[in-house]
């Protein structure tokens, strides 16, 4: 999938970026950048896509992503329409591997953290105690300067190094193909539309219209850049969301099928087994729910 290269401004007297995102809703497109990024949602809800993973976010959602991993956070319609009671807010930390010197990541003390950075190529949703501790630190960093802010970031590195309470997001087979081209805006529109409507029926002429293309041209364009047809990709997105819901006890399989856009349980089961090589019930058992 093509994505826009999107860069945040960095203060000349700072070794890394600390950025506060505030607005009616998040406006960033489907994008990537060369920095590692830690995103903390402090207000608002919606859907996030990291690589080929799609999931919901809410206040307290914390994700670490490696360089060149495409991602986007899309707020729920209540924010986009300006009807939410609170704005959408997030705290973002970005750093390049050599931000503390060319050999920083090669020193012995960094070895445990280097392993986390390798896993961040797929994106990590941080959970539990680690999430709470890092959230507190990131909120405090907004009022810190100089060495205090740097010390807080190094403490965050230490917390990440010691936790196993995280979820790997993008699939192991996810292939990054990052090239900023004229197609970027088109892919951003397609991705945004899929994320907002994957649980509804999406006709080919409808999504082709979003891309301002004819159906045949759209199908060829989509398969060329996704290595899958639009229908195949839509099923991957839907089943990815189903996997998240299967981890929640308050949803049964029938409810999940309809929530993910399938009109029949039989079709849901068929697509799930095709993609995950097991039934939804078997998948739920692997989660010990």
């Amino acid at each position: 999938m093509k994505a826009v290269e999107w860069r945040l401004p960095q203060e000349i007297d700072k070794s890394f970026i600390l950025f506060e995102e505030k607005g009616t809703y998040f406006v960033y497109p489907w994008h990537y950048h060369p920095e590692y990024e830690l995103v903390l949602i402090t207000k608002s809800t919606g859907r996030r896509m990291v690589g080929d993973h799609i999931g919901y976010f809410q206040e307290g959602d914390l994700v670490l992503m490696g360089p060149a991993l495409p991602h986007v956070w899309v707020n729920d319609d209540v924010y986009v329409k300006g009807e939410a009671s609170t704005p959408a807010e997030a705290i973002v930390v970005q750093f390049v591997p050599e931000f503390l010197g060319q050999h920083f990541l090669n020193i012995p003390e960094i070895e445990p953290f280097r392993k986390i950075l390798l896993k961040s190529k797929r994106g990590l949703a941080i959970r539990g105690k680690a999430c709470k501790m890092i959230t507190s630190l990131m909120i405090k960093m907004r009022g810190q300067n100089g060495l205090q802010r740097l010390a807080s970031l190094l403490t965050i590195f230490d917390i990440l190094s010691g936790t196993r309470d995280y979820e790997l997001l993008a699939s192991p087979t996810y292939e990054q193909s990052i090239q900023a081209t004229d197609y970027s805006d088109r892919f951003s529109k397609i991705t945004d539309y899929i994320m907002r409507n994957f649980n509804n029926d999406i006709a080919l002429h409808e999504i082709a219209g979003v891309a301002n293309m004819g159906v045949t041209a759209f199908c060829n364009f989509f398969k060329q850049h996704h290595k899958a047809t639009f229908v195949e990709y839509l099923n991957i997105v839907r089943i990815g969301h189903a996997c998240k819901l299967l981890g929640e006890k308050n949803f049964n399989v029938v409810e999940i099928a309809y929530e993910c856009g399938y009109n029949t349980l039989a079709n849901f089961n068929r697509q799930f087994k095709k993609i995950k090589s097991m039934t939804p019930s078997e998948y739920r058992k692997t989660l010990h729910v």
Side-chain angles (χ1 to χ4, degrees):
M1 180 184 292
K2 303 300 178 181
V4 179
E5 182 174 359
W6 198 272
R7 308 294 292 272
L8 291 176
Q10 180 170 354
E11 298 173 76
I12 194 169
D13 62 338
K14 301 293 189 299
S15 60
F16 65 95
I17 296 172
L18 178 69
F19 181 81
E20 291 186 71
E21 175 67 25
K22 294 183 179 180
T24 305
Y25 61 94
F26 299 139
V27 297
Y28 292 103
W30 174 244
H31 69 283
Y32 69 97
H33 39 72
E35 298 89 358
Y36 289 95
E37 182 173 74
L38 193 61
V39 178
L40 170 66
I41 303 298
T42 52
K43 291 183 182 179
S44 79
T45 59
R47 293 170 178 154
R48 56 168 157 75
M49 179 179 281
V50 178
D52 58 358
H53 172 89
I54 186 170
Y56 281 106
F57 70 83
Q58 59 186 358
E59 182 177 334
D61 188 66
L62 180 65
V63 174
L64 173 67
M65 293 167 290
L69 178 61
H71 54 276
V72 68
W73 270 246
V74 179
N75 283 118
D76 289 329
D77 285 343
V78 65
Y79 291 91
V80 178
K81 294 177 180 178
E83 299 172 351
S85 58
T86 61
E89 296 183 6
I91 301 174
V92 179
V93 171
Q94 289 186 348
F95 59 93
V96 294
E98 63 277 7
F99 85 106
L100 287 180
Q102 185 176 359
H103 303 293
F104 170 65
L105 290 180
N106 293 322
I107 63 177
E109 292 85 352
I110 295 297
E111 175 62 24
F113 182 59
R114 187 160 58 245
K115 293 178 180 178
I116 289 293
L117 291 183
L118 287 173
K119 292 181 180 179
S120 74
K121 292 179 180 180
R122 292 172 54 188
L124 300 175
I126 312 301
R127 311 294 193 201
K129 183 178 179 181
C131 179
K132 292 179 181 179
M133 294 171 66
I134 293 172
T135 295
S136 178
L137 284 165
M138 290 182 70
I139 291 173
K140 289 179 180 178
M141 287 171 73
R142 296 179 299 181
Q144 294 176 332
N145 290 302
L147 285 175
Q148 289 182 334
R149 183 178 287 187
L150 178 58
S152 292
L153 182 59
L154 292 177
T155 302
I156 289 173
F157 290 176
D158 182 55
I159 295 169
L160 289 170
S161 300
T163 185
R164 294 183 179 180
D165 197 355
Y166 54 78
E167 175 191 357
L168 289 165
L169 300 180
S171 67
T173 57
Y174 179 70
E175 296 183 16
Q176 299 178 19
S177 178
I178 308 303
Q179 295 178 12
T181 71
D182 293 337
Y183 294 131
S184 293
D185 183 58
R186 179 172 287 166
F187 268 98
S188 178
K189 291 178 180 178
I190 293 171
T191 301
D192 181 72
Y193 193 85
I194 292 173
M195 289 185 67
R196 293 186 184 281
N197 297 279
F198 71 86
N199 53 346
N200 299 314
D201 289 332
I202 304 178
L204 272 174
H205 67 83
E206 182 181 358
I207 189 66
V210 171
N212 196 28
M213 302 174 74
V215 171
T216 301
F218 170 81
C219 290
N220 292 335
F221 174 84
F222 195 95
K223 188 166 186 179
Q224 177 185 357
H225 294 284
H226 285 270
K227 298 183 180 179
T229 67
F230 169 69
V231 173
E232 289 170 341
Y233 183 81
L234 181 60
N235 278 315
I236 290 171
V237 171
R238 286 173 168 176
I239 297 306
H241 182 53
C243 289
K244 179 177 177 62
L245 296 182
L246 285 165
E248 302 178 12
K249 295 181 180 180
N250 54 326
F251 287 98
N252 62 47
V253 174
V254 175
E255 291 172 331
I256 291 172
Y258 285 100
E259 175 67 21
C260 294
Y262 293 99
N263 294 324
T264 68
L265 181 60
N267 188 30
F268 172 62
N269 287 333
R270 182 166 56 252
Q271 296 298 334
F272 194 100
K273 190 166 187 178
K274 180 179 179 181
I275 293 170
K276 294 295 182 180
S277 300
M278 65 179 74
T279 67
S281 297
E282 290 170 341
Y283 181 87
R284 172 166 268 176
K285 288 179 181 178
T286 67
L287 302 176
H288 306 291
V289 177

